[in-house]
Amino acid sequence: MEAITLIDALMCELDPYTVSPKVCIKALMDNGVSDHSVSYDPDKDKVVVAKAAILCLKKLVVLSSDNLGKSSQGYNTTELKNRIKSLCKQCGEDYEDVCEASSITDGSNFW
């Protein structure tokens, strides 16, 4: 079996969503990966890749579609959020802490 790199593993985790390689590299770096070209070890790297995938997919939630030249893709945001929830469970993160916007409350009683 051919070995895959961390960046390859992340792009596989994101499939069928398309995210630029630079966004993937940054997401890995934000999760402590200094060299994205090393071989992927599922026992050691699964959580890091899942957390990087969450960072990438969170950026897509605000879109309903994306069009780049001849290719385009539409997003079902409900299913995209379900994918993020699944990744959160996989790496032990709380979905609400990761993805839900904090609520704004009326603080006028403090003025």
Side-chain angles (χ1 to χ4, degrees):
M1 177 180 234
E2 181 182 339
I4 63 171
T5 64
L6 286 173
I7 192 78
D8 294 332
L10 175 54
M11 294 183 101
C12 289
E13 198 68 57
L14 295 170
D15 192 53
Y17 303 101
T18 304
V19 178
S20 79
K22 293 286 186 188
V23 170
C24 292
I25 291 168
K26 183 184 181 304
L28 287 168
M29 290 174 70
D30 287 348
N31 279 283
V33 174
S34 58
D35 184 3
H36 64 276
S37 64
V38 298
S39 291
Y40 171 70
D41 177 355
D43 295 328
K44 183 181 84 170
D45 301 320
K46 190 171 187 170
V47 169
V48 169
V49 169
K51 287 181 178 183
I54 291 167
L55 290 178
C56 293
L57 293 174
K58 279 175 40 175
K59 294 178 182 228
L60 301 179
V61 172
V62 298
L63 301 173
S64 61
S65 65
D66 188 15
N67 186 352
L68 295 169
K70 292 182 180 180
S71 76
S72 65
Q73 59 183 347
Y75 303 106
N76 178 325
T77 55
T78 301
E79 292 305 318
L80 181 56
K81 288 177 181 180
N82 286 338
R83 176 69 182 128
I84 294 170
K85 285 178 186 177
S86 173
L87 287 166
C88 285
K89 286 181 185 177
Q90 180 178 319
C91 64
E93 295 288 332
D94 182 22
Y95 175 79
E96 279 72 28
D97 290 343
V98 171
C99 290
E100 292 298 315
S102 59
S103 60
I104 298 173
T105 58
D106 179 8
S108 62
N109 61 323
F110 296 109
W111 296 310

